[in-house]
Every structure is written in C-alpha cells, then in structure tokens.
Amino acid sequence: GSAVLQEQESLERALRQDIIHCYAVEGFYPPSLAYMKEHYGLVYDESLFYVDYRPVAQNLMPDVTVLAIRESGS
C-alpha cells in the first residue's frame, strides 16, 4: 500500500543522509549497513524492508536499494 511506499521513501532518505553524513564527518562512505546501525543509529523494520547495500569504494557512493519484503497488513 501507499503507507509502505511512504515508509520506503523515508528509509531511502534516511539512508542517503546517513551515508552522506558519514562521508562528511569521517572522510569515507560507510563500509556496511551494520556500521550505520552501530555508529549512526540507523533503525528500520527489517521484517518489512530488505536493504541491499553494496559498498563500491571508500570514496565512491555505495549502491543502495531498498526493497519491500511484503505489503504491510498481509
């Protein structure tokens, strides 16, 4: 539903902000999702979303895809 889509968009925004913030502060992009959870307080519903996080290089923006695992309420 549209609620899931809105949540997905806000998660994508939060991920982007964390990634850019990490680069600005630390001089490299986050090496993993776990790193962002640990150091930047990234929290999301892992039963609802799968985040495909592929680091490219420390100085290149990682490839991030957010996928809804299921429709909420089903």
Side-chain angles (χ1 to χ4, degrees):
S2 63
V4 172
L5 196 60
Q6 282 177 336
E7 233 177 295
Q8 184 173 342
E9 285 170 0
S10 74
L11 174 55
E12 286 168 353
R13 258 195 314 276
L15 280 161
R16 244 192 326 269
Q17 285 170 349
D18 283 350
I19 289 166
I20 291 164
H21 181 70
C22 176
Y23 189 74
V25 171
E26 304 195 49
F28 59 83
Y29 288 112
S32 66
L33 268 182
Y35 188 88
M36 284 197 289
K37 289 175 187 171
E38 193 177 325
H39 297 268
Y40 293 91
L42 174 67
V43 177
Y44 63 95
D45 186 345
E46 294 182 44
S47 69
L48 196 55
F49 297 108
Y50 172 73
V51 178
D52 184 22
Y53 188 87
R54 296 172 192 236
V56 181
Q58 286 198 335
N59 61 338
L60 293 173
M61 177 75 93
D63 200 12
V64 184
T65 310
V66 176
L67 302 168
I69 294 171
R70 57 180 171 79
E71 292 294 311
S72 63
S74 60

Coordinates of all heavy atoms in Angstrom, one line a residue:
G1 N 0.8 -1.2 0.0 CA 0.0 0.0 0.0 C 0.8 1.3 0.0 O 2.1 1.2 0.0
S2 N 0.2 2.4 0.0 CA 0.9 3.7 -0.1 C 1.7 4.0 1.2 O 2.7 4.6 1.2 CB -0.1 4.8 -0.4 OG -1.0 4.9 0.7
A3 N 1.2 3.4 2.4 CA 1.9 3.6 3.6 C 3.3 3.0 3.5 O 4.3 3.5 4.0 CB 1.1 3.0 4.8
V4 N 3.4 1.8 2.9 CA 4.6 1.1 2.8 C 5.5 1.9 1.9 O 6.7 2.0 2.1 CB 4.4 -0.4 2.2 CG1 5.8 -1.0 1.9 CG2 3.7 -1.2 3.2
L5 N 5.0 2.4 0.8 CA 5.7 3.2 -0.1 C 6.3 4.5 0.5 O 7.5 4.8 0.4 CB 4.9 3.6 -1.3 CG 5.6 4.2 -2.6 CD1 6.5 3.1 -3.1 CD2 4.6 4.6 -3.6
Q6 N 5.5 5.1 1.4 CA 6.0 6.3 2.1 C 7.1 5.9 3.1 O 8.1 6.6 3.2 CB 4.8 6.9 2.9 CG 3.9 7.8 2.0 CD 2.7 8.3 2.8 OE1 2.4 7.8 3.8 NE2 2.2 9.4 2.3
E7 N 6.9 4.8 3.8 CA 8.0 4.3 4.7 C 9.2 4.0 3.9 O 10.4 4.3 4.4 CB 7.5 3.1 5.4 CG 7.6 3.2 6.9 CD 7.0 2.0 7.6 OE1 5.8 1.7 7.5 OE2 7.8 1.3 8.3
Q8 N 9.1 3.4 2.8 CA 10.3 3.0 1.9 C 11.0 4.3 1.5 O 12.2 4.4 1.6 CB 9.8 2.2 0.7 CG 10.9 1.7 -0.1 CD 10.5 0.8 -1.3 OE1 9.4 0.3 -1.2 NE2 11.3 0.6 -2.3
E9 N 10.3 5.3 1.1 CA 10.9 6.6 0.7 C 11.6 7.3 1.8 O 12.7 7.8 1.7 CB 9.8 7.5 0.1 CG 9.4 7.1 -1.4 CD 8.2 7.8 -1.9 OE1 7.7 8.7 -1.2 OE2 7.8 7.5 -3.0
S10 N 11.0 7.2 3.0 CA 11.7 7.9 4.2 C 12.9 7.1 4.6 O 13.9 7.7 5.0 CB 10.7 8.1 5.3 OG 10.4 7.0 6.0
L11 N 12.8 5.8 4.5 CA 14.0 4.9 4.8 C 15.1 5.3 3.8 O 16.3 5.4 4.1 CB 13.7 3.5 4.7 CG 14.8 2.5 4.9 CD1 15.6 2.7 6.1 CD2 14.3 1.0 4.9
E12 N 14.8 5.4 2.5 CA 15.8 5.7 1.4 C 16.4 7.1 1.8 O 17.6 7.2 1.6 CB 15.1 5.7 0.1 CG 14.8 4.3 -0.5 CD 14.0 4.3 -1.7 OE1 13.4 5.3 -2.1 OE2 13.8 3.2 -2.3
R13 N 15.6 8.0 2.2 CA 16.1 9.4 2.5 C 17.1 9.3 3.7 O 18.1 9.9 3.7 CB 14.9 10.3 2.9 CG 14.6 11.3 1.8 CD 13.7 12.4 2.2 NE 12.6 12.0 3.1 CZ 11.4 11.5 2.6 NH1 11.2 11.5 1.3 NH2 10.5 11.2 3.4
A14 N 16.6 8.5 4.8 CA 17.5 8.4 6.0 C 18.8 7.7 5.6 O 19.8 8.1 6.1 CB 16.7 7.6 7.0
L15 N 18.8 6.7 4.8 CA 20.0 6.0 4.4 C 20.9 7.0 3.7 O 22.1 7.0 4.0 CB 19.7 4.8 3.4 CG 19.2 3.6 4.1 CD1 18.5 2.7 3.1 CD2 20.3 2.8 4.7
R16 N 20.4 7.7 2.7 CA 21.2 8.7 2.0 C 21.8 9.7 2.9 O 23.0 10.0 2.8 CB 20.3 9.4 0.9 CG 20.7 9.1 -0.5 CD 20.1 10.0 -1.5 NE 18.8 10.4 -1.2 CZ 17.7 9.8 -1.6 NH1 17.7 8.7 -2.3 NH2 16.5 10.3 -1.3
Q17 N 21.0 10.2 3.9 CA 21.5 11.2 4.8 C 22.6 10.7 5.6 O 23.7 11.3 5.9 CB 20.4 11.8 5.7 CG 19.5 12.7 4.9 CD 18.2 13.1 5.7 OE1 17.9 12.4 6.7 NE2 17.5 14.0 5.2
D18 N 22.5 9.4 6.1 CA 23.5 8.8 7.0 C 24.8 8.6 6.2 O 25.9 8.8 6.7 CB 23.0 7.4 7.5 CG 22.0 7.6 8.7 OD1 21.9 8.7 9.2 OD2 21.5 6.6 9.1
I19 N 24.6 8.1 4.9 CA 25.8 7.9 4.1 C 26.6 9.1 3.8 O 27.8 9.2 4.0 CB 25.3 7.2 2.7 CG1 24.8 5.8 2.9 CG2 26.4 7.3 1.7 CD1 24.0 5.2 1.8
I20 N 25.8 10.2 3.5 CA 26.5 11.5 3.2 C 27.1 12.1 4.5 O 28.2 12.6 4.4 CB 25.5 12.5 2.5 CG1 25.1 12.0 1.1 CG2 26.0 13.9 2.5 CD1 23.9 12.6 0.5
H21 N 26.4 11.9 5.6 CA 26.9 12.4 6.9 C 28.2 11.7 7.2 O 29.1 12.3 7.7 CB 25.8 12.3 7.9 CG 26.2 12.8 9.3 ND1 26.3 14.1 9.6 CD2 26.5 12.1 10.4 CE1 26.7 14.3 10.8 NE2 26.9 13.1 11.4
C22 N 28.2 10.4 7.1 CA 29.4 9.6 7.4 C 30.5 10.1 6.6 O 31.6 10.3 7.1 CB 29.1 8.1 7.1 SG 30.6 7.1 7.4
Y23 N 30.3 10.3 5.3 CA 31.4 10.7 4.4 C 31.9 12.1 4.8 O 33.1 12.3 4.8 CB 30.9 10.7 2.9 CG 32.0 11.0 2.0 CD1 33.0 9.9 1.7 CD2 32.2 12.2 1.3 CE1 34.0 10.1 0.8 CE2 33.3 12.4 0.4 CZ 34.2 11.3 0.2 OH 35.2 11.5 -0.7
A24 N 31.0 13.0 5.1 CA 31.4 14.4 5.5 C 32.2 14.3 6.8 O 33.2 15.1 6.9 CB 30.1 15.2 5.7
V25 N 31.8 13.5 7.8 CA 32.4 13.5 9.1 C 33.7 12.7 9.1 O 34.7 13.0 9.6 CB 31.5 13.0 10.1 CG1 32.2 12.7 11.5 CG2 30.3 13.9 10.3
E26 N 33.7 11.5 8.4 CA 34.8 10.5 8.5 C 35.7 10.5 7.3 O 36.7 9.8 7.4 CB 34.2 9.2 8.9 CG 33.3 9.2 10.1 CD 33.1 7.8 10.7 OE1 34.0 7.0 10.8 OE2 31.9 7.5 10.9
G27 N 35.2 11.0 6.2 CA 36.0 11.0 5.0 C 35.9 9.8 4.2 O 36.7 9.6 3.2
F28 N 35.0 8.9 4.6 CA 34.8 7.7 3.8 C 33.3 7.3 3.9 O 32.6 7.7 4.8 CB 35.7 6.5 4.2 CG 35.5 6.1 5.6 CD1 34.5 5.2 6.0 CD2 36.4 6.6 6.6 CE1 34.3 4.9 7.4 CE2 36.2 6.2 7.9 CZ 35.2 5.4 8.3
Y29 N 32.8 6.6 2.9 CA 31.4 6.1 2.9 C 31.3 4.9 3.9 O 32.3 4.1 4.0 CB 31.0 5.7 1.5 CG 30.7 7.0 0.7 CD1 31.5 7.3 -0.4 CD2 29.7 7.8 1.0 CE1 31.3 8.4 -1.2 CE2 29.5 9.0 0.2 CZ 30.3 9.3 -0.9 OH 30.0 10.4 -1.6
P30 N 30.2 4.7 4.5 CA 30.0 3.6 5.4 C 30.3 2.2 4.7 O 29.8 2.0 3.7 CB 28.6 3.6 5.9 CG 28.1 5.0 5.4 CD 28.9 5.4 4.3
P31 N 31.2 1.4 5.4 CA 31.5 0.1 4.8 C 30.4 -0.9 4.8 O 30.4 -1.9 4.0 CB 32.7 -0.4 5.6 CG 32.6 0.4 6.9 CD 31.9 1.7 6.6
S32 N 29.4 -0.7 5.6 CA 28.3 -1.7 5.7 C 27.1 -1.1 6.4 O 27.1 0.0 7.0 CB 28.7 -2.9 6.5 OG 29.0 -2.5 7.9
L33 N 25.9 -1.8 6.2 CA 24.7 -1.4 7.0 C 24.9 -1.5 8.5 O 24.5 -0.6 9.2 CB 23.6 -2.3 6.6 CG 22.7 -2.0 5.4 CD1 21.6 -3.0 5.3 CD2 22.1 -0.6 5.6
A34 N 25.6 -2.5 8.9 CA 25.9 -2.7 10.3 C 26.6 -1.5 10.9 O 26.4 -1.0 12.0 CB 26.7 -4.0 10.5
Y35 N 27.6 -1.0 10.1 CA 28.3 0.2 10.5 C 27.4 1.4 10.8 O 27.5 2.1 11.7 CB 29.4 0.6 9.5 CG 30.3 1.6 9.9 CD1 31.5 1.3 10.6 CD2 30.1 3.0 9.6 CE1 32.4 2.3 11.0 CE2 30.9 4.0 10.0 CZ 32.1 3.6 10.7 OH 33.0 4.6 11.1
M36 N 26.4 1.6 9.9 CA 25.5 2.7 10.0 C 24.6 2.5 11.2 O 24.2 3.4 11.9 CB 24.7 2.9 8.7 CG 25.5 3.6 7.6 SD 24.5 4.3 6.3 CE 23.9 2.8 5.5
K37 N 24.2 1.2 11.4 CA 23.3 1.0 12.6 C 24.1 1.3 13.9 O 23.6 1.9 14.8 CB 22.9 -0.5 12.6 CG 21.9 -0.8 11.5 CD 21.6 -2.3 11.5 CE 20.7 -2.7 10.3 NZ 20.6 -4.2 10.2
E38 N 25.4 0.8 13.9 CA 26.2 1.0 15.1 C 26.6 2.4 15.4 O 26.5 2.9 16.5 CB 27.4 0.1 15.0 CG 28.2 -0.1 16.3 CD 29.4 -1.0 16.1 OE1 29.3 -1.9 15.3 OE2 30.4 -0.7 16.7
H39 N 27.0 3.1 14.3 CA 27.6 4.5 14.5 C 26.6 5.6 14.3 O 26.8 6.7 14.7 CB 28.8 4.7 13.6 CG 29.9 3.7 14.0 ND1 30.9 4.0 14.8 CD2 30.2 2.4 13.5 CE1 31.7 3.0 14.9 NE2 31.3 2.0 14.2
Y40 N 25.5 5.4 13.5 CA 24.6 6.5 13.1 C 23.2 6.2 13.5 O 22.3 7.0 13.1 CB 24.8 6.8 11.6 CG 26.1 7.3 11.3 CD1 27.2 6.5 10.9 CD2 26.4 8.7 11.4 CE1 28.4 7.0 10.7 CE2 27.6 9.2 11.2 CZ 28.7 8.3 10.8 OH 29.9 8.8 10.6
G41 N 23.0 5.1 14.3 CA 21.6 4.9 14.8 C 20.6 4.6 13.8 O 19.4 4.8 14.0
L42 N 21.0 4.0 12.6 CA 20.1 3.6 11.6 C 19.2 2.5 12.2 O 19.7 1.5 12.7 CB 20.8 3.1 10.4 CG 19.9 2.5 9.3 CD1 19.1 3.6 8.6 CD2 20.8 1.8 8.2
V43 N 17.9 2.8 12.1 CA 16.9 1.8 12.5 C 15.8 1.7 11.5 O 15.3 2.7 11.0 CB 16.2 2.2 13.9 CG1 15.2 1.2 14.3 CG2 17.3 2.3 15.0
Y44 N 15.4 0.4 11.1 CA 14.3 0.3 10.2 C 13.7 -1.1 10.5 O 14.3 -2.0 11.1 CB 14.7 0.4 8.7 CG 15.7 -0.6 8.3 CD1 15.3 -1.8 7.6 CD2 17.1 -0.4 8.4 CE1 16.2 -2.7 7.2 CE2 18.0 -1.4 8.0 CZ 17.6 -2.5 7.4 OH 18.5 -3.4 6.9
D45 N 12.5 -1.3 10.0 CA 11.8 -2.6 10.2 C 12.3 -3.6 9.2 O 12.0 -3.6 8.0 CB 10.3 -2.3 9.9 CG 9.4 -3.6 10.3 OD1 10.0 -4.7 10.4 OD2 8.2 -3.4 10.4
E46 N 13.2 -4.5 9.7 CA 13.8 -5.5 8.9 C 12.9 -6.6 8.4 O 13.2 -7.4 7.6 CB 15.1 -6.0 9.6 CG 16.1 -4.9 9.8 CD 17.4 -5.5 10.4 OE1 17.9 -6.5 10.0 OE2 17.9 -4.8 11.3
S47 N 11.7 -6.7 9.0 CA 10.7 -7.7 8.6 C 10.0 -7.1 7.4 O 9.3 -7.8 6.6 CB 9.8 -8.0 9.7 OG 8.9 -7.0 10.0
L48 N 10.0 -5.8 7.2 CA 9.3 -5.1 6.1 C 10.2 -4.7 5.0 O 9.7 -4.8 3.8 CB 8.6 -3.9 6.7 CG 7.5 -3.2 5.9 CD1 6.4 -4.2 5.6 CD2 6.9 -2.0 6.7
F49 N 11.4 -4.4 5.2 CA 12.3 -3.9 4.2 C 13.6 -4.7 4.2 O 14.2 -5.0 5.2 CB 12.6 -2.5 4.3 CG 11.4 -1.6 4.2 CD1 10.9 -1.0 5.3 CD2 10.8 -1.4 3.0 CE1 9.8 -0.2 5.2 CE2 9.7 -0.6 2.9 CZ 9.2 0.0 4.0
Y50 N 14.1 -5.0 3.0 CA 15.4 -5.5 2.8 C 16.2 -4.4 2.1 O 15.8 -3.8 1.1 CB 15.4 -6.8 1.8 CG 16.7 -7.2 1.4 CD1 17.5 -7.9 2.4 CD2 17.2 -7.0 0.2 CE1 18.8 -8.3 2.0 CE2 18.5 -7.4 -0.2 CZ 19.3 -8.1 0.7 OH 20.6 -8.5 0.4
V51 N 17.4 -4.2 2.7 CA 18.3 -3.1 2.2 C 19.5 -3.8 1.6 O 20.2 -4.6 2.2 CB 18.7 -2.1 3.2 CG1 19.7 -1.1 2.6 CG2 17.5 -1.4 3.9
D52 N 19.6 -3.7 0.3 CA 20.8 -4.2 -0.5 C 21.8 -3.1 -0.5 O 21.7 -2.2 -1.2 CB 20.3 -4.6 -1.9 CG 21.5 -5.3 -2.7 OD1 22.4 -5.8 -2.0 OD2 21.4 -5.3 -3.9
Y53 N 22.9 -3.3 0.3 CA 23.9 -2.3 0.5 C 25.2 -2.8 -0.1 O 25.8 -3.8 0.4 CB 24.1 -2.0 2.0 CG 25.0 -0.8 2.2 CD1 24.5 0.5 2.3 CD2 26.4 -1.0 2.4 CE1 25.3 1.6 2.5 CE2 27.2 0.1 2.7 CZ 26.7 1.4 2.7 OH 27.5 2.4 2.9
R54 N 25.7 -2.2 -1.2 CA 26.9 -2.7 -1.8 C 27.9 -1.6 -1.9 O 27.8 -0.6 -2.7 CB 26.6 -3.1 -3.3 CG 25.6 -4.3 -3.3 CD 25.2 -4.5 -4.8 NE 24.1 -5.5 -4.8 CZ 24.1 -6.6 -5.4 NH1 25.1 -6.9 -6.2 NH2 23.1 -7.4 -5.4
P55 N 28.9 -1.6 -0.9 CA 29.9 -0.6 -1.0 C 30.8 -0.8 -2.3 O 31.0 -1.9 -2.7 CB 30.8 -0.9 0.3 CG 30.3 -2.2 0.8 CD 29.0 -2.6 0.1
V56 N 31.1 0.4 -2.9 CA 31.9 0.3 -4.1 C 33.3 0.5 -3.8 O 34.2 -0.3 -4.0 CB 31.4 1.4 -5.1 CG1 32.2 1.4 -6.4 CG2 29.9 1.3 -5.4
A57 N 33.6 1.7 -3.1 CA 35.0 2.0 -2.6 C 34.8 3.1 -1.6 O 33.7 3.7 -1.5 CB 35.8 2.6 -3.8
Q58 N 35.8 3.3 -0.7 CA 35.6 4.2 0.4 C 35.3 5.6 -0.1 O 34.7 6.4 0.6 CB 36.9 4.3 1.2 CG 37.1 3.1 2.1 CD 38.1 3.3 3.2 OE1 39.0 4.2 3.0 NE2 38.0 2.6 4.2
N59 N 35.7 6.0 -1.3 CA 35.4 7.3 -1.8 C 34.4 7.4 -2.9 O 34.2 8.4 -3.5 CB 36.7 7.9 -2.4 CG 37.3 7.2 -3.5 OD1 37.0 6.0 -3.7 ND2 38.1 7.8 -4.3
L60 N 33.6 6.3 -3.1 CA 32.5 6.3 -4.0 C 31.2 5.9 -3.3 O 31.2 5.1 -2.5 CB 32.8 5.3 -5.1 CG 33.9 5.5 -6.1 CD1 34.1 4.4 -7.0 CD2 33.6 6.8 -6.9
M61 N 30.2 6.7 -3.7 CA 28.8 6.4 -3.1 C 28.4 5.0 -3.2 O 28.5 4.4 -4.3 CB 27.8 7.3 -3.8 CG 26.4 7.2 -3.3 SD 26.1 7.9 -1.7 CE 25.5 9.5 -2.2
P62 N 28.1 4.3 -2.1 CA 27.6 2.9 -2.3 C 26.3 2.8 -3.0 O 25.6 3.7 -3.2 CB 27.5 2.5 -0.8 CG 27.3 3.8 0.0 CD 28.0 4.8 -0.8
D63 N 26.1 1.6 -3.5 CA 24.9 1.2 -4.3 C 23.9 0.7 -3.2 O 24.1 -0.3 -2.6 CB 25.3 0.1 -5.3 CG 24.3 0.0 -6.4 OD1 23.5 0.9 -6.5 OD2 24.4 -1.0 -7.1
V64 N 22.8 1.4 -3.0 CA 21.8 1.1 -2.0 C 20.5 0.9 -2.7 O 20.0 1.8 -3.4 CB 21.7 2.1 -0.9 CG1 20.8 1.7 0.2 CG2 23.1 2.4 -0.3
T65 N 19.8 -0.2 -2.4 CA 18.5 -0.5 -2.9 C 17.6 -0.9 -1.7 O 18.0 -1.8 -1.0 CB 18.5 -1.6 -4.0 OG1 19.5 -1.3 -5.0 CG2 17.1 -1.7 -4.7
V66 N 16.5 -0.3 -1.6 CA 15.5 -0.7 -0.5 C 14.4 -1.4 -1.2 O 13.7 -0.9 -2.1 CB 15.0 0.5 0.2 CG1 13.9 0.1 1.2 CG2 16.1 1.3 0.9
L67 N 14.1 -2.6 -0.7 CA 13.0 -3.5 -1.3 C 12.0 -3.8 -0.2 O 12.4 -4.2 0.9 CB 13.6 -4.8 -1.8 CG 14.7 -4.6 -2.9 CD1 15.3 -6.0 -3.2 CD2 14.0 -4.1 -4.2
A68 N 10.8 -3.6 -0.5 CA 9.7 -4.0 0.5 C 9.6 -5.5 0.4 O 9.4 -6.1 -0.7 CB 8.4 -3.4 0.1
I69 N 9.7 -6.2 1.5 CA 9.6 -7.7 1.6 C 8.2 -8.1 1.4 O 7.9 -9.1 0.7 CB 10.2 -8.2 2.9 CG1 11.7 -7.9 3.0 CG2 9.9 -9.7 3.1 CD1 12.3 -8.1 4.3
R70 N 7.3 -7.4 2.0 CA 5.9 -7.8 2.0 C 5.0 -6.5 2.1 O 5.5 -5.5 2.7 CB 5.5 -8.8 3.0 CG 5.8 -8.3 4.4 CD 5.5 -9.3 5.5 NE 6.0 -8.8 6.8 CZ 5.4 -7.9 7.6 NH1 4.3 -7.3 7.2 NH2 5.9 -7.6 8.7
E71 N 3.8 -6.6 1.7 CA 2.9 -5.5 2.0 C 2.5 -5.5 3.4 O 2.3 -6.6 4.0 CB 1.6 -5.7 1.1 CG 1.8 -5.5 -0.4 CD 2.2 -4.0 -0.7 OE1 1.6 -3.1 -0.3 OE2 3.2 -3.9 -1.4
S72 N 2.5 -4.3 4.1 CA 2.1 -4.3 5.5 C 0.6 -4.7 5.6 O -0.2 -4.5 4.7 CB 2.3 -2.9 6.1 OG 1.5 -2.0 5.4
G73 N 0.3 -5.4 6.7 CA -1.1 -5.8 6.9 C -1.4 -7.1 6.2 O -2.6 -7.6 6.3
S74 N -0.4 -7.8 5.6 CA -0.8 -9.1 4.9 C -0.2 -10.2 5.7 O 0.8 -10.0 6.5 CB -0.3 -9.1 3.5 OG 1.1 -9.0 3.4

